[in-house]
Short mmCIF file of all heavy atoms in Angstrom, two decimals:
data_model
loop_
_atom_site.label_atom_id
_atom_site.label_comp_id
_atom_site.label_asym_id
_atom_site.label_seq_id
_atom_site.Cartn_x
_atom_site.Cartn_y
_atom_site.Cartn_z
N SER R 1 39.53 197.33 132.95
CA SER R 1 40.55 198.16 133.58
C SER R 1 41.24 199.02 132.52
O SER R 1 41.06 198.81 131.33
CB SER R 1 41.57 197.28 134.30
OG SER R 1 42.42 196.65 133.36
N GLY R 2 42.06 199.94 132.95
CA GLY R 2 42.78 200.79 132.02
C GLY R 2 43.71 200.00 131.12
O GLY R 2 43.86 200.30 129.95
N LYS R 3 44.30 198.95 131.66
CA LYS R 3 45.20 198.11 130.85
C LYS R 3 44.44 197.37 129.77
O LYS R 3 44.91 197.21 128.65
CB LYS R 3 45.92 197.09 131.75
CG LYS R 3 47.32 197.49 132.10
CD LYS R 3 48.03 196.35 132.78
CE LYS R 3 49.50 196.49 132.52
NZ LYS R 3 50.31 195.48 133.16
N ASP R 4 43.23 196.88 130.10
CA ASP R 4 42.41 196.17 129.12
C ASP R 4 42.03 197.11 127.99
O ASP R 4 42.06 196.72 126.81
CB ASP R 4 41.14 195.62 129.77
CG ASP R 4 41.42 194.46 130.69
OD1 ASP R 4 42.46 193.81 130.52
OD2 ASP R 4 40.59 194.20 131.58
N LEU R 5 41.67 198.33 128.32
CA LEU R 5 41.27 199.31 127.31
C LEU R 5 42.46 199.65 126.42
O LEU R 5 42.33 199.75 125.19
CB LEU R 5 40.71 200.56 127.98
CG LEU R 5 40.18 201.64 127.05
CD1 LEU R 5 39.08 201.09 126.15
CD2 LEU R 5 39.65 202.83 127.86
N GLU R 6 43.61 199.82 127.02
CA GLU R 6 44.83 200.13 126.25
C GLU R 6 45.15 198.99 125.28
O GLU R 6 45.46 199.22 124.11
CB GLU R 6 45.99 200.33 127.22
CG GLU R 6 47.23 200.91 126.60
CD GLU R 6 48.35 201.10 127.62
OE1 GLU R 6 48.04 201.27 128.82
OE2 GLU R 6 49.50 201.03 127.21
N LEU R 7 45.01 197.76 125.75
CA LEU R 7 45.27 196.61 124.90
C LEU R 7 44.24 196.53 123.77
O LEU R 7 44.59 196.24 122.62
CB LEU R 7 45.24 195.33 125.74
CG LEU R 7 45.51 194.02 125.00
CD1 LEU R 7 46.84 194.05 124.27
CD2 LEU R 7 45.45 192.86 125.97
N ALA R 8 42.98 196.81 124.08
CA ALA R 8 41.93 196.78 123.06
C ALA R 8 42.21 197.81 121.97
O ALA R 8 42.02 197.54 120.78
CB ALA R 8 40.57 197.04 123.70
N ARG R 9 42.70 198.96 122.36
CA ARG R 9 43.03 200.00 121.36
C ARG R 9 44.18 199.55 120.47
O ARG R 9 44.19 199.81 119.27
CB ARG R 9 43.38 201.30 122.07
CG ARG R 9 42.12 201.97 122.63
CD ARG R 9 42.42 203.26 123.33
NE ARG R 9 41.19 203.94 123.68
CZ ARG R 9 41.00 204.64 124.80
NH1 ARG R 9 41.99 204.76 125.67
NH2 ARG R 9 39.85 205.23 125.02
N LYS R 10 45.14 198.88 121.04
CA LYS R 10 46.26 198.36 120.23
C LYS R 10 45.76 197.27 119.29
O LYS R 10 46.19 197.15 118.15
CB LYS R 10 47.39 197.84 121.12
CG LYS R 10 48.09 198.95 121.90
CD LYS R 10 49.12 198.38 122.83
CE LYS R 10 49.69 199.43 123.76
NZ LYS R 10 50.35 200.54 123.11
N ARG R 11 44.81 196.47 119.78
CA ARG R 11 44.28 195.37 118.96
C ARG R 11 43.55 195.91 117.75
O ARG R 11 43.73 195.43 116.63
CB ARG R 11 43.35 194.51 119.81
CG ARG R 11 42.88 193.26 119.10
CD ARG R 11 42.08 192.37 120.02
NE ARG R 11 42.86 191.85 121.11
CZ ARG R 11 42.53 191.95 122.39
NH1 ARG R 11 41.44 192.56 122.77
NH2 ARG R 11 43.30 191.43 123.31
N VAL R 12 42.71 196.92 117.95
CA VAL R 12 41.91 197.45 116.85
C VAL R 12 42.78 198.18 115.83
O VAL R 12 42.39 198.32 114.67
CB VAL R 12 40.77 198.34 117.39
CG1 VAL R 12 41.26 199.73 117.73
CG2 VAL R 12 39.60 198.37 116.42
N ARG R 13 43.97 198.60 116.23
CA ARG R 13 44.91 199.25 115.29
C ARG R 13 45.86 198.24 114.66
O ARG R 13 46.80 198.63 113.97
CB ARG R 13 45.74 200.30 116.03
CG ARG R 13 44.92 201.50 116.48
CD ARG R 13 45.84 202.55 117.13
NE ARG R 13 45.05 203.53 117.84
CZ ARG R 13 45.13 203.80 119.14
NH1 ARG R 13 46.03 203.17 119.88
NH2 ARG R 13 44.35 204.69 119.70
N PHE R 14 45.66 196.97 114.93
CA PHE R 14 46.58 195.92 114.47
C PHE R 14 48.01 196.25 114.90
O PHE R 14 48.96 196.00 114.16
CB PHE R 14 46.52 195.75 112.95
CG PHE R 14 45.16 195.35 112.43
CD1 PHE R 14 44.49 196.15 111.53
CD2 PHE R 14 44.56 194.18 112.86
CE1 PHE R 14 43.24 195.77 111.04
CE2 PHE R 14 43.31 193.80 112.38
CZ PHE R 14 42.65 194.60 111.47
N ASP R 15 48.14 196.82 116.08
CA ASP R 15 49.46 197.17 116.62
C ASP R 15 50.02 195.93 117.32
O ASP R 15 49.89 195.75 118.53
CB ASP R 15 49.33 198.34 117.61
CG ASP R 15 50.65 198.70 118.27
OD1 ASP R 15 51.68 198.05 118.00
OD2 ASP R 15 50.65 199.65 119.08
N TRP R 16 50.61 195.05 116.51
CA TRP R 16 51.06 193.77 117.04
C TRP R 16 52.15 193.92 118.08
O TRP R 16 52.12 193.27 119.13
CB TRP R 16 51.54 192.87 115.89
CG TRP R 16 50.45 192.61 114.90
CD1 TRP R 16 50.36 193.10 113.63
CD2 TRP R 16 49.27 191.82 115.10
NE1 TRP R 16 49.19 192.68 113.04
CE2 TRP R 16 48.51 191.89 113.92
CE3 TRP R 16 48.79 191.08 116.17
CZ2 TRP R 16 47.29 191.22 113.79
CZ3 TRP R 16 47.58 190.42 116.03
CH2 TRP R 16 46.84 190.49 114.86
N GLU R 17 53.14 194.78 117.81
CA GLU R 17 54.23 194.95 118.78
C GLU R 17 53.68 195.54 120.08
O GLU R 17 54.09 195.15 121.17
CB GLU R 17 55.32 195.84 118.19
CG GLU R 17 56.54 195.98 119.07
CD GLU R 17 57.11 194.66 119.58
OE1 GLU R 17 57.13 193.68 118.82
OE2 GLU R 17 57.52 194.60 120.76
N GLY R 18 52.75 196.48 119.97
CA GLY R 18 52.14 197.05 121.17
C GLY R 18 51.43 195.99 121.99
O GLY R 18 51.46 196.02 123.23
N GLN R 19 50.79 195.05 121.29
CA GLN R 19 50.10 193.97 122.01
C GLN R 19 51.11 193.06 122.71
O GLN R 19 50.84 192.58 123.81
CB GLN R 19 49.23 193.16 121.05
CG GLN R 19 48.02 193.95 120.56
CD GLN R 19 47.21 193.15 119.56
OE1 GLN R 19 46.60 192.15 119.91
NE2 GLN R 19 47.23 193.59 118.31
N MET R 20 52.25 192.85 122.07
CA MET R 20 53.27 192.00 122.67
C MET R 20 53.76 192.59 123.99
O MET R 20 54.11 191.85 124.92
CB MET R 20 54.47 191.82 121.73
CG MET R 20 54.19 191.07 120.46
SD MET R 20 53.33 189.53 120.66
CE MET R 20 51.68 190.01 120.17
N GLU R 21 53.78 193.90 124.07
CA GLU R 21 54.24 194.55 125.31
C GLU R 21 53.35 194.18 126.49
O GLU R 21 53.76 194.30 127.64
CB GLU R 21 54.27 196.07 125.12
CG GLU R 21 55.34 196.52 124.14
CD GLU R 21 55.20 197.97 123.72
OE1 GLU R 21 54.35 198.67 124.31
OE2 GLU R 21 55.92 198.38 122.80
N HIS R 22 52.11 193.75 126.22
CA HIS R 22 51.19 193.38 127.30
C HIS R 22 51.12 191.87 127.51
O HIS R 22 50.41 191.41 128.39
CB HIS R 22 49.78 193.90 126.97
CG HIS R 22 49.68 195.39 127.03
ND1 HIS R 22 49.38 196.06 128.19
CD2 HIS R 22 49.84 196.33 126.08
CE1 HIS R 22 49.36 197.35 127.95
NE2 HIS R 22 49.64 197.55 126.67
N ALA R 23 51.81 191.12 126.68
CA ALA R 23 51.73 189.66 126.79
C ALA R 23 52.46 189.17 128.04
O ALA R 23 53.47 189.73 128.45
CB ALA R 23 52.33 189.01 125.55
N LEU R 24 51.93 188.10 128.64
CA LEU R 24 52.59 187.51 129.79
C LEU R 24 53.92 186.87 129.38
O LEU R 24 54.89 186.89 130.12
CB LEU R 24 51.69 186.44 130.43
CG LEU R 24 50.38 186.97 131.02
CD1 LEU R 24 49.54 185.80 131.52
CD2 LEU R 24 50.65 187.96 132.15
N ASP R 25 53.93 186.29 128.17
CA ASP R 25 55.14 185.65 127.64
C ASP R 25 55.35 186.18 126.22
O ASP R 25 54.97 185.52 125.26
CB ASP R 25 54.96 184.13 127.64
CG ASP R 25 56.15 183.41 127.04
OD1 ASP R 25 57.20 184.06 126.81
OD2 ASP R 25 56.03 182.21 126.78
N PRO R 26 55.89 187.38 126.07
CA PRO R 26 55.95 188.01 124.75
C PRO R 26 56.78 187.25 123.73
O PRO R 26 56.54 187.37 122.54
CB PRO R 26 56.55 189.39 125.03
CG PRO R 26 57.15 189.30 126.37
CD PRO R 26 56.46 188.20 127.11
N ASP R 27 57.74 186.45 124.16
CA ASP R 27 58.59 185.76 123.19
C ASP R 27 57.81 184.77 122.34
O ASP R 27 58.04 184.64 121.15
CB ASP R 27 59.73 185.04 123.91
CG ASP R 27 60.71 186.02 124.53
OD1 ASP R 27 60.72 187.18 124.08
OD2 ASP R 27 61.43 185.62 125.46
N LYS R 28 56.83 184.09 122.94
CA LYS R 28 56.07 183.08 122.20
C LYS R 28 55.20 183.72 121.13
O LYS R 28 55.29 183.31 119.96
CB LYS R 28 55.24 182.23 123.16
CG LYS R 28 54.56 181.08 122.46
CD LYS R 28 53.89 180.17 123.46
CE LYS R 28 53.26 178.98 122.75
NZ LYS R 28 52.57 178.10 123.70
N PRO R 29 54.33 184.70 121.44
CA PRO R 29 53.52 185.29 120.37
C PRO R 29 54.36 186.02 119.33
O PRO R 29 53.95 186.12 118.18
CB PRO R 29 52.56 186.23 121.10
CG PRO R 29 53.14 186.45 122.45
CD PRO R 29 53.97 185.23 122.76
N ARG R 30 55.51 186.51 119.69
CA ARG R 30 56.36 187.19 118.69
C ARG R 30 56.75 186.24 117.56
O ARG R 30 56.96 186.66 116.44
CB ARG R 30 57.62 187.75 119.34
CG ARG R 30 57.41 189.14 119.89
CD ARG R 30 58.73 189.86 120.18
NE ARG R 30 58.42 191.17 120.72
CZ ARG R 30 58.52 191.49 122.00
NH1 ARG R 30 58.96 190.60 122.86
NH2 ARG R 30 58.18 192.68 122.41
N THR R 31 56.81 184.96 117.85
CA THR R 31 57.17 184.00 116.81
C THR R 31 55.99 183.74 115.87
O THR R 31 56.17 183.16 114.80
CB THR R 31 57.62 182.65 117.41
OG1 THR R 31 56.51 182.03 118.06
CG2 THR R 31 58.76 182.83 118.38
N MET R 32 54.77 184.14 116.26
CA MET R 32 53.58 183.84 115.47
C MET R 32 52.93 185.08 114.87
O MET R 32 52.00 184.96 114.07
CB MET R 32 52.56 183.13 116.36
CG MET R 32 53.08 181.82 116.92
SD MET R 32 51.87 180.95 117.92
CE MET R 32 52.07 181.75 119.50
N CYS R 33 53.37 186.24 115.30
CA CYS R 33 52.73 187.49 114.89
C CYS R 33 53.02 187.84 113.44
O CYS R 33 54.10 187.54 112.94
CB CYS R 33 53.31 188.60 115.75
SG CYS R 33 52.10 189.43 116.64
N PRO R 34 52.08 188.49 112.75
CA PRO R 34 52.38 188.95 111.40
C PRO R 34 53.53 189.96 111.42
O PRO R 34 53.69 190.72 112.37
CB PRO R 34 51.09 189.64 110.95
CG PRO R 34 50.03 189.19 111.89
CD PRO R 34 50.72 188.83 113.17
N ASP R 35 54.34 189.95 110.35
CA ASP R 35 55.43 190.93 110.24
C ASP R 35 54.90 192.28 109.80
O ASP R 35 55.46 193.32 110.12
CB ASP R 35 56.47 190.45 109.22
CG ASP R 35 57.24 189.25 109.73
OD1 ASP R 35 57.42 189.16 110.95
OD2 ASP R 35 57.64 188.42 108.91
N ASP R 36 53.83 192.27 109.04
CA ASP R 36 53.29 193.51 108.48
C ASP R 36 52.09 193.98 109.28
O ASP R 36 51.37 193.16 109.88
CB ASP R 36 52.86 193.29 107.03
CG ASP R 36 54.02 192.80 106.17
OD1 ASP R 36 55.13 193.33 106.35
OD2 ASP R 36 53.82 191.88 105.38
N PRO R 37 51.84 195.29 109.27
CA PRO R 37 50.63 195.78 109.91
C PRO R 37 49.40 195.27 109.15
O PRO R 37 49.48 195.02 107.95
CB PRO R 37 50.75 197.30 109.82
CG PRO R 37 51.80 197.57 108.82
CD PRO R 37 52.65 196.35 108.69
N GLY R 38 48.32 195.13 109.83
CA GLY R 38 47.11 194.64 109.20
C GLY R 38 46.63 193.40 109.90
O GLY R 38 47.28 192.93 110.85
N PRO R 39 45.50 192.87 109.48
CA PRO R 39 44.95 191.71 110.17
C PRO R 39 45.81 190.47 109.99
O PRO R 39 46.57 190.36 109.02
CB PRO R 39 43.58 191.52 109.51
CG PRO R 39 43.68 192.19 108.19
CD PRO R 39 44.67 193.31 108.36
N CYS R 40 45.69 189.55 110.91
CA CYS R 40 46.34 188.27 110.75
C CYS R 40 45.49 187.42 109.80
O CYS R 40 44.54 187.92 109.21
CB CYS R 40 46.55 187.59 112.10
SG CYS R 40 45.02 187.03 112.89
N THR R 41 45.78 186.14 109.69
CA THR R 41 45.06 185.31 108.72
C THR R 41 44.03 184.39 109.38
O THR R 41 43.36 183.63 108.69
CB THR R 41 46.06 184.45 107.93
OG1 THR R 41 46.81 183.67 108.87
CG2 THR R 41 47.00 185.32 107.11
N MET R 42 43.91 184.50 110.69
CA MET R 42 43.11 183.49 111.40
C MET R 42 41.64 183.49 110.98
O MET R 42 41.07 182.42 110.74
CB MET R 42 43.21 183.70 112.91
CG MET R 42 42.58 182.58 113.69
SD MET R 42 43.10 182.51 115.39
CE MET R 42 42.09 183.76 116.11
N CYS R 43 41.03 184.63 110.89
CA CYS R 43 39.58 184.68 110.60
C CYS R 43 39.28 184.91 109.13
O CYS R 43 38.11 184.95 108.74
CB CYS R 43 38.91 185.78 111.42
SG CYS R 43 39.30 185.71 113.18
N GLY R 44 40.33 185.06 108.32
CA GLY R 44 40.11 185.26 106.89
C GLY R 44 39.22 186.45 106.62
O GLY R 44 39.36 187.51 107.23
N LYS R 45 38.26 186.24 105.72
CA LYS R 45 37.37 187.36 105.34
C LYS R 45 36.42 187.74 106.48
O LYS R 45 35.69 188.73 106.36
CB LYS R 45 36.60 187.02 104.07
CG LYS R 45 35.58 185.91 104.22
CD LYS R 45 34.85 185.68 102.90
CE LYS R 45 33.78 184.62 103.06
NZ LYS R 45 33.04 184.35 101.84
N TYR R 46 36.42 186.98 107.55
CA TYR R 46 35.53 187.28 108.68
C TYR R 46 36.23 188.06 109.79
O TYR R 46 35.76 188.08 110.92
CB TYR R 46 34.94 185.99 109.23
CG TYR R 46 34.11 185.25 108.19
CD1 TYR R 46 34.56 184.07 107.63
CD2 TYR R 46 32.90 185.76 107.76
CE1 TYR R 46 33.83 183.40 106.66
CE2 TYR R 46 32.15 185.11 106.79
CZ TYR R 46 32.62 183.94 106.24
OH TYR R 46 31.89 183.29 105.29
N CYS R 47 37.38 188.67 109.49
CA CYS R 47 38.09 189.47 110.50
C CYS R 47 37.15 190.58 111.00
O CYS R 47 36.79 191.50 110.25
CB CYS R 47 39.35 190.10 109.90
SG CYS R 47 40.17 191.24 111.03
N ALA R 48 36.76 190.47 112.25
CA ALA R 48 35.78 191.40 112.81
C ALA R 48 36.32 192.83 112.83
O ALA R 48 35.57 193.80 112.63
CB ALA R 48 35.40 190.96 114.21
N ILE R 49 37.61 192.98 113.06
CA ILE R 49 38.20 194.32 113.13
C ILE R 49 38.16 194.98 111.75
O ILE R 49 37.80 196.14 111.61
CB ILE R 49 39.63 194.25 113.70
CG1 ILE R 49 39.59 193.73 115.13
CG2 ILE R 49 40.29 195.63 113.64
CD1 ILE R 49 40.95 193.47 115.73
N SER R 50 38.51 194.21 110.71
CA SER R 50 38.48 194.76 109.36
C SER R 50 37.05 195.09 108.93
O SER R 50 36.79 196.15 108.34
CB SER R 50 39.08 193.76 108.37
OG SER R 50 40.44 193.60 108.62
N ILE R 51 36.12 194.20 109.24
CA ILE R 51 34.72 194.43 108.86
C ILE R 51 34.20 195.70 109.52
O ILE R 51 33.58 196.56 108.87
CB ILE R 51 33.86 193.20 109.24
CG1 ILE R 51 34.22 192.01 108.35
CG2 ILE R 51 32.37 193.53 109.12
CD1 ILE R 51 33.61 190.69 108.81
N MET R 52 34.46 195.84 110.81
CA MET R 52 33.96 197.03 111.52
C MET R 52 34.67 198.29 111.04
O MET R 52 34.02 199.34 110.87
CB MET R 52 34.13 196.84 113.03
CG MET R 52 33.53 197.97 113.84
SD MET R 52 31.77 198.22 113.48
CE MET R 52 31.03 197.04 114.56
N SER R 53 35.98 198.22 110.78
CA SER R 53 36.71 199.40 110.29
C SER R 53 36.17 199.84 108.95
O SER R 53 35.95 201.04 108.71
CB SER R 53 38.20 199.09 110.17
OG SER R 53 38.75 198.84 111.43
N ASN R 54 35.92 198.88 108.05
CA ASN R 54 35.37 199.22 106.74
C ASN R 54 33.96 199.79 106.87
O ASN R 54 33.61 200.77 106.19
CB ASN R 54 35.35 197.98 105.84
CG ASN R 54 36.75 197.54 105.46
OD1 ASN R 54 37.69 198.31 105.51
ND2 ASN R 54 36.89 196.28 105.11
N TYR R 55 33.18 199.22 107.75
CA TYR R 55 31.81 199.69 107.97
C TYR R 55 31.82 201.15 108.45
O TYR R 55 31.08 201.99 107.94
CB TYR R 55 31.14 198.78 109.00
CG TYR R 55 29.73 199.16 109.36
CD1 TYR R 55 28.66 198.86 108.52
CD2 TYR R 55 29.46 199.81 110.57
CE1 TYR R 55 27.36 199.20 108.86
CE2 TYR R 55 28.17 200.16 110.92
CZ TYR R 55 27.12 199.85 110.06
OH TYR R 55 25.84 200.20 110.41
N LEU R 56 32.68 201.44 109.42
CA LEU R 56 32.73 202.82 109.96
C LEU R 56 33.32 203.79 108.94
O LEU R 56 32.91 204.95 108.88
CB LEU R 56 33.53 202.83 111.26
CG LEU R 56 32.90 202.06 112.42
CD1 LEU R 56 33.84 201.99 113.60
CD2 LEU R 56 31.56 202.67 112.82
N ALA R 57 34.28 203.31 108.12
CA ALA R 57 34.89 204.18 107.11
C ALA R 57 33.88 204.58 106.04
O ALA R 57 34.04 205.62 105.39
CB ALA R 57 36.08 203.47 106.47
N GLU R 58 32.86 203.77 105.87
CA GLU R 58 31.82 204.07 104.89
C GLU R 58 30.81 205.08 105.43
O GLU R 58 29.84 205.40 104.76
CB GLU R 58 31.10 202.78 104.47
CG GLU R 58 31.99 201.85 103.66
CD GLU R 58 31.40 200.46 103.49
OE1 GLU R 58 30.26 200.22 103.93
OE2 GLU R 58 32.10 199.60 102.92
N GLY R 59 31.07 205.57 106.65
CA GLY R 59 30.21 206.60 107.23
C GLY R 59 28.97 206.08 107.91
O GLY R 59 28.00 206.82 108.11
N ASN R 60 28.99 204.81 108.29
CA ASN R 60 27.82 204.24 108.99
C ASN R 60 27.84 204.59 110.46
O ASN R 60 28.81 204.99 111.01
CB ASN R 60 27.80 202.72 108.81
CG ASN R 60 27.58 202.33 107.37
OD1 ASN R 60 26.54 202.63 106.82
ND2 ASN R 60 28.57 201.71 106.76
S1 SF4 N 101 41.70 187.93 111.58
FE1 SF4 N 101 40.66 187.50 113.53
S2 SF4 N 101 42.31 187.20 115.02
FE2 SF4 N 101 43.20 188.19 113.22
S3 SF4 N 101 43.12 190.37 113.64
FE3 SF4 N 101 41.22 189.88 112.57
S4 SF4 N 101 39.73 189.42 114.20
FE4 SF4 N 101 41.75 189.36 115.11
#
């Protein structure tokens, strides 16, 4: 749906606050979200968003 696509775009931009706007219970994830823009720490070096962003930035 349009909402899913909008959320996916916020996710790929690491727009944490934007993602909170779509949360069913925004107060809970706000306590766990990174303060800074960029990937969280959950997947470490395997962050799929960072890997794909770097891949595309290299002109692939
Ligand atoms: S580390 Fe994992 S959970 Fe965190 S932003 Fe990257 S893909 Fe998403």
Side-chain angles (χ1 to χ4, degrees):
S1 74
K3 259 190 153 178
D4 288 337
L5 183 58
E6 191 179 333
L7 180 56
R9 286 180 172 144
K10 292 176 189 300
R11 187 174 295 127
V12 81
R13 292 184 194 120
F14 299 120
D15 177 358
W16 300 109
E17 185 51 38
Q19 290 177 68
M20 295 310 102
E21 292 168 7
H22 291 272
L24 296 175
D25 177 11
D27 292 339
K28 186 173 182 182
R30 273 196 181 104
T31 67
M32 299 182 277
C33 238
D35 291 329
D36 302 318
C40 69
T41 57
M42 188 162 80
C43 309
K45 68 179 183 180
Y46 299 109
C47 174
I49 297 173
S50 293
I51 291 169
M52 185 56 85
S53 295
N54 292 338
Y55 178 78
L56 294 173
E58 291 168 5
N60 295 296

